[in-house]
């Protein structure tokens, strides 16, 4: 028996795990009690790393579609096929004819995170889509304008705060997002143990709401109204106290004016939260010595996602909690911290290009996946003819899945880098698999930039593999799209390393004979703020603790003024649309999403330990609604929206607000041509057949996935 310490790459929490092997067989996975950050915590998904590694449906060879059937081929043949099919499209129709969709696991994958960008840059398409536009893009946009960098996202200082206001987040189940914090339950309990208070705003009584000291059952899609009313109260009661931030903030007066119409009385009816409660929430926030306001996916994937994301940080500024211990702070990661790059960067701006069909603006280098089907299906110059998916399953994760699936079927060529033959990759012409998480080295380049404590942990590959590493695959693809398919990989890798060294301000020779991600991480650590090199992390298998978050204002600010722009025009331009909501009549019944502890978006349902037990893909309905609509627990319901209709088992529960129903996303497996046998037996239905690709957060183009008007009838 041998053991290996690995950082779990499955979600943002970055837990340290201890994996036990008998030869190449995984015998057990448990939390690493000595991990400097997670201290032994593990969730059911992390515990399933062995099941994932051994899953017989996980792809281990490239697949090429010949006469409608996938056949296993060697790597050279697969690359030759890609070269033969992709290059003519690039030559004839240009770069924008090839779209990319990059999904969530790629952000958690060191090879894809570091070398994906090399390929995307070489491809140079404006049709670049990611899961961000069904997720956190509004936060990048609001932080981009507030602080000058879309990756300057302040995170709650969980371990020192005394008052935490959470909106649209359920970290006890999701394990935290845009807030890397292993064992959130333990950290939230500790807030209460030191006399602090947790306030949850959610249309559902989630596990997080159950733990909280206070829960407000908000009507979906109205967070921006609630947040503006909190701002309104702070001004009206003279409780605006930016403190140490005062000399670094522009736009306080404008925010005061903008907030005027949004009194607690004006928003109470819409939000479903009484005016007196709203006033008290604002005063509690102002009274707290150290408080943090945090909003997550319930606040971003909704009609006013960007305005809500902006107001979250407006509140943190107005109460003086931004950039102070116990409030919200900007992490400073050991490697690759985007907002501490050497030299002066250009301030953030969005809308540098627009999509062809719907004219939607670019944000953070990408355009909304809600319009990918339009770009494929609408004829004309600049039509998308080929698609590269990288660790993404848009057929299940993007709105109006039916139309997107139809569009995928119309492509001239689809290449997928993926580890399963699933709802998206079944449309591919070539699928290139990658190694399992136990067969590759890992360093979390992205999520340490969002961690509640500065830490660094390097994971060497626990097992060998016959598969190429995905960074090598990315370089092969880079060679193809730059028209030099026979290029030497090591020379390309040297080139990438030289560029990373230049950006890190160090000499690339310092990394010695390392190659691939290990070399890049070594160079990034050497150029980083902590006087570290990869060897230091190799000597510390349980991670290196770099201490609590520290204030970074004004140095972190990258706006043109060098100050926090509290009222940026590109965001405040959406306030009139929000004000118009005050006169609107809310829909009587709306759909929201939810997550389950043993599920991970769409792709871990093929693992027996995670799907055994009761069906979690149900529509949750309040008893009052069930009675009114004639629905019974365990019966089947038809749920219909402007986009489509699905039949789902009913779960009657008092834990959901009346007028709201909830269905989790990521289900709907087992269609023609897929090869996920366990998932097919636990298929569920795709809730994104109900979400509507025309409903977007106006500013960021992020799809509205919460607050969809629906009708529910017994089936
Ligand atoms: N209605 C609704 N829809 C939603 C959401 C919601 O709340 N409600 N949430 C949204 C959010 S937050 C997100 S992030 C998206 C996720 O959307 P996606 O990123 O599109 O989907 P995933 O389900 O994460 O699928 C990931 C894919 O990566 C593959 N994969 C896994 N590991 C690897 C690997 O190591 N290498 C490679 N190459 N591939 C790998 C899997 O097989 C799978 O095909 O879904 C969004 N969709
Ligand atoms: N177990 C598990 N963990 C995951 C994932 C998973 O699929 N499963 N996915 C990962 C990913 S990709 C992400 S992005 C994160 C997301 O992490 P979280 O944002 O914490 O995700 P959820 O658990 O979906 O919590 C969102 C909450 O918003 C509520 N909500 C819905 N609409 C509204 C609204 O209009 N207003 C308010 N205030 N609340 C609303 C929902 O009821 C739900 O409780 O989770 C990550 N972790
Ligand atoms: S919480 Fe996230 S990082 Fe931790 S074990 Fe679970 S999936 Fe892995
Ligand atoms: Mo996500």
């Amino acid at each position: 028996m041998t053991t290996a310490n690995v950082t779990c790459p499955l979600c943002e929490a970055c837990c340290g795990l201890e994996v036990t092997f008998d030869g190449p067989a995984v015998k057990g996975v448990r939390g690493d009690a000595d991990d400097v950050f997670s201290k032994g915590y593990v969730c059911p998904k992390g515990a399933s790393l062995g099941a994932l590694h051994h899953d017989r449906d996980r792809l281990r060879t490239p697949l090429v579609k010949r006469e409608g059937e996938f056949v296993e081929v060697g790597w050279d043949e697969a690359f030759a096929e890609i070269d033969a099919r992709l290059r003519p499209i690039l030559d004839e129709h240009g770069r924008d004819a090839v779209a990319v969709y990059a999904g969530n696991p790629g952000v958690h994958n060191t090879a894809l995170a570091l070398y994906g960008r090399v390929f995307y840059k070489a491809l140079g398409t404006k049709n670049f889509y990611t899961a961000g536009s069904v997720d956190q893009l509004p936060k990048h946009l609001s932080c981009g304008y507030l602080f000058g960098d879309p990756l300057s996202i302040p995170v709650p200082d969980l371990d020192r705060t005394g008052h935490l206001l959470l909106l649209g987040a359920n970290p006890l189940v999701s394990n935290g997002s845009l807030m890397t914090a292993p064992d959130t339950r333990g950290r939230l309990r500790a807030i209460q143990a030191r006399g602090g208070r947790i306030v949850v705003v959610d249309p559902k009584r989630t596990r997080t709401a159950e733990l909280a000291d206070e829960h407000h059952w908000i009507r979906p899609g109205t967070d921006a109204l609630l947040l503006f009313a909190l701002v309104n109260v702070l001004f009206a009661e003279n409780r605006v106290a930016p403190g140490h931030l005062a000399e670094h903030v522009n736009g306080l007066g404008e925010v005061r004016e903008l907030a005027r119409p949004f009194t607690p009385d004006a928003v109470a009816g819409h939000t479903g939260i009484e005016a007196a409660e709203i006033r008290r929430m604002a005063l509690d926030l102002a009274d707290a010595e150290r408080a943090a306001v945090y909003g997550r996916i319930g606040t971003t994937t909704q009609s006013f996602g960007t305005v809500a994301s902006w107001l979250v940080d407006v509140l943190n500024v107005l109460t003086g909690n931004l950039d102070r211990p116990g409030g919200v702070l900007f992490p400073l990661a050991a490697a690759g911290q985007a907002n501490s790059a050497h030299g002066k960067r250009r301030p953030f701006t969005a809308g540098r290009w627009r999509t062809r069909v719907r004219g939607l603006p670019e944000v953070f280098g990408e355009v909304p996946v809600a319009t990918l089907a339009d770009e494929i299906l609408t004829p004309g110059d600049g039509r998308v003819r080929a698609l590269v998916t990288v660790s993404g399953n848009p057929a299940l994760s993007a709105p109006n899945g039916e139309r997107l699936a139809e569009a995928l079927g119309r492509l001239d060529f689809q290449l997928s880098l993926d580890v399963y033959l699933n709802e998206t990759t079944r449309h591919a012409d070539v699928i290139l698999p990658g190694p399992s998480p136990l067969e590759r080295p890992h360093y979390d380049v992205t999520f340490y930039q969002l961690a509640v404590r500065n830490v660094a942990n390097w994971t060497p590959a626990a097992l060998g593999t016959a598969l190429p590493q995905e960074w090598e695959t990315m370089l092969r693809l880079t060679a193809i799209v730059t028209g030099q398919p026979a290029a030497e990989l090591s020379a390309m890798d040297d080139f990438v390393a030289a560029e990373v060294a230049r950006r890190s301000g160090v000499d690339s020779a310092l990394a010695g004979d390392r190659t691939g991600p290990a070399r890049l991480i070594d160079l990034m650590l050497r150029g980083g703020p902590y006087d570290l090199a990869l060897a230091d992390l190799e000597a510390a298998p349980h991670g290196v603790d770099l201490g609590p978050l520290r204030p970074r204002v004004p140095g972190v600010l990258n706006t043109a003024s060098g100050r926090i722009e509290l009222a940026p025009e590109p965001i405040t331009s959406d306030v009139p649309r929000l004000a118009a909501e005050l006169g609107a009549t809310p829909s009587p019944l709306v759909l929201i999403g939810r997550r389950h502890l043993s599920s991970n978006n769409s792709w871990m349902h093929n693992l027996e330990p995670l799907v055994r037990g009761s069906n979690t893909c149900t529509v949750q309905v309040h008893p009052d609604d069930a009675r009114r609509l004639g629905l019974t627990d365990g019966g089947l319901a038809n749920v219909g929206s402007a986009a489509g209709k699905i039949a789902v088992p009913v779960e009657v529960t008092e834990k959901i607000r009346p007028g709201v129903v909830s269905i989790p996303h990521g289900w709907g497996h087992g269609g023609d041509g897929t090869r996920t046998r366990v998932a097919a037996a636990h298929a569920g239905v795709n809730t994104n057949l109900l979400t509507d690709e025309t409903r977007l957060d106006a500013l960021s183009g992020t799809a509205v996935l919460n607050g969809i008007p629906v009708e529910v009838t017994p089936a």
Side-chain angles (χ1 to χ4, degrees), residues 63 168 201 510 537 551 571:
L63 299 178
V201 175
L510 287 172
L537 302 191
I571 293 177

Side-chain angles (χ1 to χ4, degrees), residues 668-689:
H669 303 295
D672 280 354
T674 58
R675 196 186 297 164
T676 48
R677 284 166 280 194
V678 176
H682 302 267
V685 283
N686 179 7
T687 190
N688 280 320
L689 298 174

Side-chain angles (χ1 to χ4, degrees), residues 257-464:
E257 289 312 309
L258 288 167
R260 271 197 209 282
F262 301 96
T263 59
D265 291 303
V267 308
H270 295 269
T271 58
I273 305 172
E274 283 174 25
E277 286 286 278
I278 296 175
R279 247 177 234 112
R280 191 184 49 75
M281 285 167 84
L283 298 179
D284 284 353
L285 193 61
D287 287 341
E289 209 178 305
R290 306 188 249 196
V293 185
Y294 164 78
R296 203 41 203 101
I297 197 148
T299 63
T300 54
T301 51
Q302 55 155 284
S303 289
F304 294 93
T306 302
V307 172
S309 299
W310 163 65
L311 290 170
V312 162
D313 285 321
V314 166
L315 280 170
N316 285 321
V317 170
L318 296 182
T319 52
N321 283 302
L322 185 106
D323 203 47
R324 104 171 152 194
V328 297
L329 290 149
F330 299 101
L332 184 59
Q337 179 73 49
N339 63 13
S340 72
H342 292 253
K344 186 77 188 148
R345 293 155 296 135
R346 252 171 295 156
F348 170 81
T349 178
R352 292 170 296 173
W353 65 86
R354 287 184 176 263
T355 60
R356 178 181 64 107
V357 179
R358 281 159 69 184
L360 300 170
E362 161 275 341
V363 175
F364 195 29
E366 61 185 86
V367 288
V369 67
T371 195
L372 175 55
D374 303 316
E375 295 294 330
I376 298 171
L377 294 171
T378 312
D381 255 10
R383 182 173 83 83
V384 167
R385 292 159 191 272
L387 174 68
V388 182
T389 71
V390 179
S391 63
N393 192 3
L396 291 190
S397 53
N400 197 344
E402 188 176 355
R403 183 153 178 268
L404 186 57
E406 184 201 333
L408 297 181
R410 302 274 192 90
L411 290 164
D412 296 347
F413 181 68
Q414 181 181 324
L415 162 65
S416 290
L417 272 63
D418 208 285
V419 296
Y420 284 108
L421 179 41
N422 64 15
E423 303 74 20
T424 294
T425 59
R426 72 191 174 97
H427 296 282
D429 298 283
V430 181
I431 308 176
L432 301 178
S436 91
L438 298 175
E439 297 167 330
R440 62 185 196 227
H442 182 70
Y443 178 90
D444 217 304
V445 192
T446 307
F447 293 105
Y448 290 145
Q449 301 192 36
L450 296 159
V452 300
R453 207 174 159 85
N454 293 316
V455 288
N457 205 334
W458 168 258
T459 300
L463 297 170

Side-chain angles (χ1 to χ4, degrees), residues 9-10 12 52 58 101-109 112 130-136 177 296-298 300-301 369 389-399 416-425 432-437 440 470 474 591-595 600-605 663-666 669 676 686-691 703-706 708:
L10 296 175
E12 299 179 37
L52 173 61
R58 193 169 56 77
Y101 175 82
N104 172 281
V107 187
H108 299 263
N109 176 316
L112 291 177
T130 84
S133 58
V134 276
D135 189 349
Q136 81 293 353
S177 179
R296 203 41 203 101
I297 197 148
T300 54
T301 51
V369 67
T389 71
V390 179
S391 63
N393 192 3
L396 291 190
S397 53
S416 290
L417 272 63
D418 208 285
V419 296
Y420 284 108
L421 179 41
N422 64 15
E423 303 74 20
T424 294
T425 59
L432 301 178
S436 91
R440 62 185 196 227
E470 286 185 280
M474 279 298 181
L591 169 71
I592 61 169
R594 68 174 185 270
R595 283 172 163 73
N600 197 21
N601 297 322
S602 77
W603 73 277
M604 293 187 73
H605 300 151
I663 306 177
H665 72 286
H669 303 295
T676 48
N686 179 7
T687 190
N688 280 320
L689 298 174
L690 299 174
T691 51
V704 175
L705 305 174
N706 286 298
I708 312 285

